[in-house]
Amino acid sequence: MKKSRMLLFAFIVLMIGACSLGKKDTGIETLRTVETDLLFGKLKQVSQTGFMFGHQDATVYGIGWDGDSARSDVKSVCGDYPAVCGWEIGRIEKGKKVSLDNVDFDRIRKEMILNYQRGGINTLSWHADNPVTGGDSWDISAKATVVGSILSDSVKHSEFLGWLDIIAAYCSSLVTEEGVKIPVLFRPWHEHTGSWFWWGKDFCTPEQYKALWILTYDYLHSKGVDNLLYAYSPCGGCTKEEYMERYPGDEYVDLLGFDYYQNRIEDTESYQKVMNETLGMLAELGKEHSKPIAVTETGLMALPIDDWWTNVLYPILENYPISYVLVWRNARELENHYFAPYPGHSSAADFVDFYKKAKTLFLSDINGHIGERMNK
Ligand code: BMA
């Protein structure tokens, strides 16, 4: 090779090295699609207008139905789809065809894409099985060994990376017919300030929890997953110190949330108190960390309070700059395990009033027009 060519070759090699180093330095930005950045902007912006309403598994089943197309209990009650749809991918890591709630993963993909095309937002939860015992997420029998094994036992570590490969492939397959990879808010390792999941607080140290989160984040990035935002959601009712104790860091989290439920009719006051305290804290944290905030899960199972929507939930939420609130699923296979009303339910009329409130945003309110009130 001529000297001049060799110099040119060395220059090119150096430039490629410099470029990839530059990429590494700014890895977070370069690993997000335009649509994912837009979703982040939407989540931040929407709280200036109101808060979006979300429902878990909204369009795949409900009370008295399973698998119908374009159906949703929320829509049947108020005429509009939720703005946010939550989906559960537990058991995908085992290569199963259906989730732990018996929904086909192909159907979930289809519904996520449809929801995106309608202008809605998708969020994913992951009740991952226990990689040590083979039990479910709630199997805490192995106590403090599970997260530790994923991090330091080479066999468990590589098995776990295999699980993440499946998640990466699934997320990368969320593509419209036009070739748009849809953006998704991923909410892994949730409710970790409690101790009912194997990744809960009694079963790993703060450092181990953070390492699990960062491993998940970095590995998915390394597999080219560029359509995810990440939601952090401890349990409500914790102090700021508890909330932040296991926080993996601003560069690994896009939205700050929490999960908190009302368990009994007589808990209304304490539910409102805890929600207000947690939301007050979260509003501060959101500002300090420049992150959107949300109530990532809430609800009152079977809704035995007819005016729960306008008299319990709304008076809390209207005071805080949250992007969305999501209520849990309307299980078709369990008795009284539902969190949104269905036609004929005793809280349905109140839900319609909630829907009409100034700050609640449903699909047609946000459909590309955040800031303009479309349907009310
Ligand atoms: C829980 C319950 C379970 C379900 C799990 C994951 O809160 O609804 O029945 O399997 O969420 O969706």
Side-chain angles (χ1 to χ4, degrees):
M1 206 191 278
K2 268 185 164 177
K3 200 174 173 196
S4 57
R5 280 210 186 149
M6 266 175 72
L7 277 173
L8 181 66
F9 179 67
F11 177 69
I12 291 170
V13 169
L14 265 174
M15 285 310 287
I16 291 172
C19 287
S20 56
L21 261 182
K23 226 179 186 173
K24 211 173 172 191
D25 287 346
T26 57
I28 294 162
E29 275 71 36
T30 51
L31 266 165
R32 246 197 210 172
T33 63
V34 173
E35 291 76 16
T36 312
D37 276 337
L38 285 173
L39 173 59
F40 183 68
K42 222 176 196 186
L43 287 166
K44 274 194 131 175
Q45 192 200 345
V46 72
S47 63
Q48 292 166 15
T49 311
F51 58 87
M52 299 183 285
F53 182 78
H55 188 206
Q56 182 75 0
D57 279 352
T59 57
V60 283
Y61 57 79
I63 301 305
W65 62 277
D66 190 356
D68 305 14
S69 109
R71 189 164 171 181
S72 136
D73 281 348
V74 165
K75 183 167 185 278
S76 300
V77 168
C78 72
D80 205 347
Y81 285 110
V84 177
C85 289
W87 310 104
E88 168 60 40
I89 52 165
R91 299 273 154 82
I92 202 168
E93 71 278 2
K94 294 274 187 76
K96 302 278 186 217
K97 198 170 157 36
V98 298
S99 72
L100 79 161
D101 298 321
N102 217 13
V103 189
D104 195 298
F105 291 117
D106 289 338
R107 176 79 200 276
I108 295 177
R109 179 191 299 106
K110 200 174 140 209
E111 291 298 321
M112 289 176 84
I113 293 172
L114 274 173
N115 181 37
Y116 175 75
Q117 287 172 327
R118 286 193 292 252
I121 287 169
N122 292 296
T123 176
L124 277 185
S125 54
W126 182 25
H127 288 79
D129 272 358
N130 184 317
V132 168
T133 64
D136 61 21
S137 299
W138 295 267
D139 179 1
I140 51 174
S141 58
K143 305 259 183 233
T145 59
V146 185
V147 177
S149 307
I150 290 174
L151 297 172
S152 53
D153 174 306
S154 60
V155 175
K156 280 292 150 210
H157 185 77
S158 63
E159 272 174 28
F160 180 71
L161 297 187
W163 283 12
L164 293 180
D165 283 331
I166 294 175
I167 303 275
Y170 191 71
C171 292
S172 302
S173 78
L174 302 170
V175 181
T176 68
E177 270 177 18
E178 295 73 34
V180 177
K181 207 191 285 177
I182 68 168
V184 175
L185 180 63
F186 185 39
R187 194 169 65 88
W189 316 130
H190 64 303
E191 297 175 14
H192 59 284
T193 52
S195 296
W196 44 88
F197 296 132
W198 55 258
W199 56 87
K201 119 172 155 327
D202 289 349
F203 313 121
C204 56
T205 64
E207 278 55 48
Q208 285 175 322
Y209 178 84
K210 289 184 211 174
L212 174 69
W213 185 289
I214 292 168
L215 172 66
T216 305
Y217 182 100
D218 280 346
Y219 191 76
L220 292 178
H221 266 189
S222 78
K223 292 286 149 181
V225 178
D226 52 6
N227 56 332
L228 296 186
L229 296 175
Y230 290 77
Y232 178 72
S233 58
C235 315
C238 57
T239 63
K240 204 167 181 175
E241 289 64 42
E242 284 162 344
Y243 189 95
M244 293 307 286
E245 190 188 24
R246 286 158 195 255
Y247 185 62
D250 279 347
E251 60 276 47
Y252 301 104
V253 172
D254 300 297
L255 176 137
L256 303 176
F258 71 92
D259 294 2
Y260 192 72
Y261 286 82
Q262 177 170 353
N263 291 325
R264 300 172 312 159
I265 301 178
E266 52 273 37
D267 291 343
T268 296
E269 222 173 278
S270 65
Y271 170 75
Q272 288 187 311
K273 186 170 179 283
V274 171
M275 288 289 282
N276 277 313
E277 284 166 2
T278 312
L279 279 163
M281 169 192 85
L282 209 61
E284 276 176 22
L285 282 172
K287 250 195 208 153
E288 284 164 22
H289 293 261
S290 293
K291 307 280 181 200
I293 61 170
V295 181
T296 40
E297 278 185 43
T298 194
L300 168 64
M301 196 163 88
L303 293 155
I305 301 175
D306 292 354
D307 59 356
W308 190 77
W309 300 101
T310 60
N311 244 335
V312 180
L313 187 63
Y314 191 80
I316 307 167
L317 301 185
E318 67 172 336
N319 299 314
Y320 302 96
I322 58 167
S323 304
Y324 75 89
V325 59
L326 181 138
V327 298
W328 206 239
R329 65 196 194 103
N330 280 9
R332 72 307 202 192
E333 80 286 11
L334 298 171
E335 203 164 340
N336 285 332
H337 191 76
Y338 59 87
F339 298 84
Y342 53 86
H345 185 267
S346 57
S347 80
D350 187 61
F351 188 79
V352 174
D353 290 342
F354 173 78
Y355 168 75
K356 289 180 183 157
K357 289 278 186 195
K359 285 197 167 176
T360 53
L361 304 171
F362 285 70
L363 183 76
S364 51
D365 294 309
I366 65 142
N367 195 351
H369 296 273
I370 287 181
E372 286 173 43
R373 307 281 303 168
M374 292 289 289
N375 68 330
K376 295 173 200 172

